[in-house]
């Protein structure tokens, strides 16, 4: 499995998202089986958030992992309103309880809110010192916010989790180079645009010429750059298996050129988009 460094540690470049998981009883068994199959296949980074199903996704992950928790690099995210010195410890503790673990491998600020960044940095560092989290990072922060974060003492930030896929190439203009230069890993969320990208006819045509599925091409494309992790959410074992093959798919220069022609690079700066 291709890896990406987070805080000097190598983690799987293909992980598993969990937004919308744990919310429907009829899908529960399939979602648990998918997460477990993913870990077995090497998709050992799992991303979640206190927001997802109001804790239901974290509870599902806790149930799915049980004794295999130590094989996983577990990522969760705090609401911006909880990212203060006073509130972050309790939010983290609640996530740990739902996940059935004693530490998070990575804790992210879900998006920027009104708590000053320097206060969030302090709160994250305190959790790290207490052994509750191993690394911390952010999500949905654009290049200007990232520069401000570093100015605010956030030099230990390891990751920016952002919307990035073939339809959303804006970050290539300035944010990805900025992060790359500083060794801050990128976690690309909604890498198949919540499933909508998979119906794109042009992507379908290109995938057919490569002998791969649209999902495999979309994910391999996201992971083509050093330092970028893709975290697709797959609720079935079949989708997990299909996606796993993307980590071994190397796109040729011709494949990349065809994708560039169909999904052009940004010509100028575009504000970071969010889903
Ligand atoms: P996504 O991963 O782009 O798409 C998920 C959808 O694609 C699901 O409906 C899934 O269906 C389908 N899918 C996955 N693999 C497939 C395959 N091989 N064939 C056909 N369909 C497939 O969207 P996402 O869930 O929004 O993003 C991924 C993760 O990123 C989230 O789960 C979450 O952990 C994180 N995220 C973070 C933020 C943030 O603000 N930081 C925002 C959005 C997402 P099935 O469920 O049926 O498999």
């Amino acid at each position: 499995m291709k890896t990406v460094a987070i805080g000097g540690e190598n983690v799987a470049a293909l992980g598993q998202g969990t937004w919308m998981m744990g919310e429907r009883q009829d899908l529960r068994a399939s979602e648990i089986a998918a997460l477990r199959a993913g870990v077995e296949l090497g998709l050992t980074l799992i991303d979640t958030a206190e927001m997802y199903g109001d804790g239901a996704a974290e509870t599902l992950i806790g149930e799915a992992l049980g004794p295999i928790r130590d094989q996983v690099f577990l990522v969760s995210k705090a609401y911006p309103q909880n990212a203060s010195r006073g509130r972050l410890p309790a939010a983290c503790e609640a996530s740990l309880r739902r996940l059935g673990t004693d530490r998070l491998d990575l804790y992210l600020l879900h998006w920027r809110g009104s708590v000053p960044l320097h206060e969030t940095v302090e709160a994250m560092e305190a959790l790290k010192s207490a052994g509750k989290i191993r690394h911390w990072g952010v999500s949905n922060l654009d290049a200007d916010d990232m520069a401000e974060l570093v100015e605010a003492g956030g030099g230990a930030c390891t990751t920016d989790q952002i919307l990035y896929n073939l339809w959303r190439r804006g970050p290539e203009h300035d944010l990805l180079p900025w992060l790359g230069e500083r060794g801050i890993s990128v976690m690309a969320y909604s890498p198949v645009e919540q499933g909508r990208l998979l119906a794109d006819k042009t992507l379908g045509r290109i995938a057919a010429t490569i002998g791969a599925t649209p999902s495999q091409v979309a994910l391999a494309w996201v992971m083509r750059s050093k330092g970028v992790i893709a975290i697709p959410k797959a609720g079935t074992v079949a989708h997990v298996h299909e996606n796993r093959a993307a980590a071994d798919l190397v796109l040729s220069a011709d494949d990349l050129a065809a994708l560039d022609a169909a999904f052009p690079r940004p010509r100028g700066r575009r504000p970071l988009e969010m889903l």
Side-chain angles (χ1 to χ4, degrees), residues 16-20 47-48 52 77 110-111 139-140 161-162 188-195 198 213 215 231-236 238-240 242-243 274-275:
Q16 306 189 72
T18 62
W19 193 13
M20 311 298 275
D47 176 74
T48 191
Y52 299 164
K77 302 188 276 296
H110 206 150
W111 64 89
S139 179
N140 297 301
Q161 184 178 114
I162 56 167
Y189 74 70
S190 307
V192 297
E193 190 76 14
Q194 300 183 327
L198 305 179
T213 67
S215 179
I231 49 166
K233 176 257 181 186
T236 66
H239 284 168
V240 169
E242 180 182 338
N243 295 347
M274 263 179 89
L275 277 182

Side-chain angles (χ1 to χ4, degrees), residues 166 169 203 206 210 217 221 251 254-264:
L166 278 165
R169 296 188 63 169
L203 176 60
I206 296 172
I210 295 170
V217 173
W221 179 85
L251 298 169
D254 284 352
D255 301 336
L256 291 172
L259 289 164
D260 278 343
F263 308 98

Side-chain angles (χ1 to χ4, degrees), residues 3 59 65 103 123 138 158 167 171 192 194 214 225 243 266 269:
T3 60
T59 303
L65 296 183
R103 84 272 172 209
V138 294
T158 63
W167 281 356
V192 297
Q194 300 183 327
S225 313
N243 295 347
R269 187 180 141 63

Side-chain angles (χ1 to χ4, degrees), residues 140-145 160 162-165 167-176 189 266-275:
N140 297 301
L141 260 63
D142 209 341
D144 49 349
D145 290 319
D160 192 9
I162 56 167
L163 176 60
Y164 180 55
N165 64 42
W167 281 356
R168 313 271 193 169
R169 296 188 63 169
E172 287 175 38
H173 181 70
D174 53 353
L175 182 57
L176 294 190
Y189 74 70
R267 282 166 183 269
R269 187 180 141 63
R270 282 191 221 153
L272 182 63
E273 298 170 287
M274 263 179 89
L275 277 182

